[in-house]
Amino acid sequence: MTEILEKTERAYDGGQNRPLRGYLGILAAYGGTVAVAAAVAGLANRRVPDRIGVLDLALMAACTHKVSRRIAKDPVTSPIRAPFTRYEGQGGPAEVQESPRGALGELLACPFCLAQWVATGYAAGLVVAPKATRLIGATMTAVAVSDWLQLAYAKLMKSAE
């Protein structure tokens, strides 16, 4: 199996270092996490909702955006990423820019990649603990809206100069 994976990696990478084994591990971890969440929900006799309301979807979207960026770009969460990334400098407002080291670094430094994990966790939370999940979602949505207002305020102040 290892030989097949190594041959596939060499054929795929085009001379670039693409950590397919690491990606495979991340995919397996994601699948395992979803399976554990489904088992926990089943053991707790919790059922998947028949539908997701517009408010829940809005909270989930804004919360997923904010939590994904907080994990991937926030200076305060850099100790989580440091073993898997390399600091390159300031990114956007109140954000850092890092280059990944390996597959886990690519996941942790990419808010787009993290969004699937965060949204899946939020969805599992809606099944297992909906009240607490909505409270967390509302909190992180408020943080996201506050960020957008801070950026708009800064732009307005700059244009008034």
Side-chain angles (χ1 to χ4, degrees):
M1 184 63 150
T2 303
E3 186 178 317
I4 292 170
L5 187 56
E6 286 175 4
K7 185 178 177 182
T8 302
E9 267 185 319
R10 283 192 305 276
Y12 173 77
D13 70 14
Q16 306 286 322
N17 183 16
R18 303 306 303 154
L20 289 184
R21 283 184 229 188
Y23 296 156
L24 189 58
I26 289 170
L27 288 171
Y30 179 81
T33 301
V34 170
V36 167
V40 167
L43 290 171
N45 289 325
R46 303 297 297 198
R47 301 289 174 239
V48 174
D50 291 331
R51 66 179 197 77
I52 302 293
V54 174
L55 182 57
D56 276 328
L57 184 58
L59 284 176
M60 180 186 268
C63 180
T64 296
H65 164 78
K66 187 63 210 169
V67 171
S68 297
R69 289 206 77 77
R70 173 75 25 106
I71 294 169
K73 298 292 185 183
D74 196 293
V76 175
T77 57
S78 60
I80 296 167
R81 298 183 307 275
F84 311 103
T85 61
R86 182 169 291 105
Y87 178 78
E88 291 187 347
Q90 288 299 114
E95 292 187 344
V96 296
Q97 185 65 38
E98 297 167 327
S99 58
R101 293 186 287 150
L104 197 51
E106 286 192 36
L107 175 64
L108 292 174
C110 173
F112 299 96
C113 306
L114 283 170
Q116 180 173 338
W117 288 76
V118 173
T120 300
Y122 194 98
L126 282 178
V127 172
V128 176
K131 287 181 182 180
T133 300
R134 286 184 182 104
L135 178 61
I136 292 166
T139 301
M140 294 312 294
T141 296
V143 172
V145 171
S146 174
D147 287 352
W148 299 331
L149 290 171
Q150 296 287 356
L151 292 170
Y153 180 81
K155 188 173 184 170
L156 181 65
M157 293 304 291
K158 191 170 188 166
S159 70
E161 290 177 352

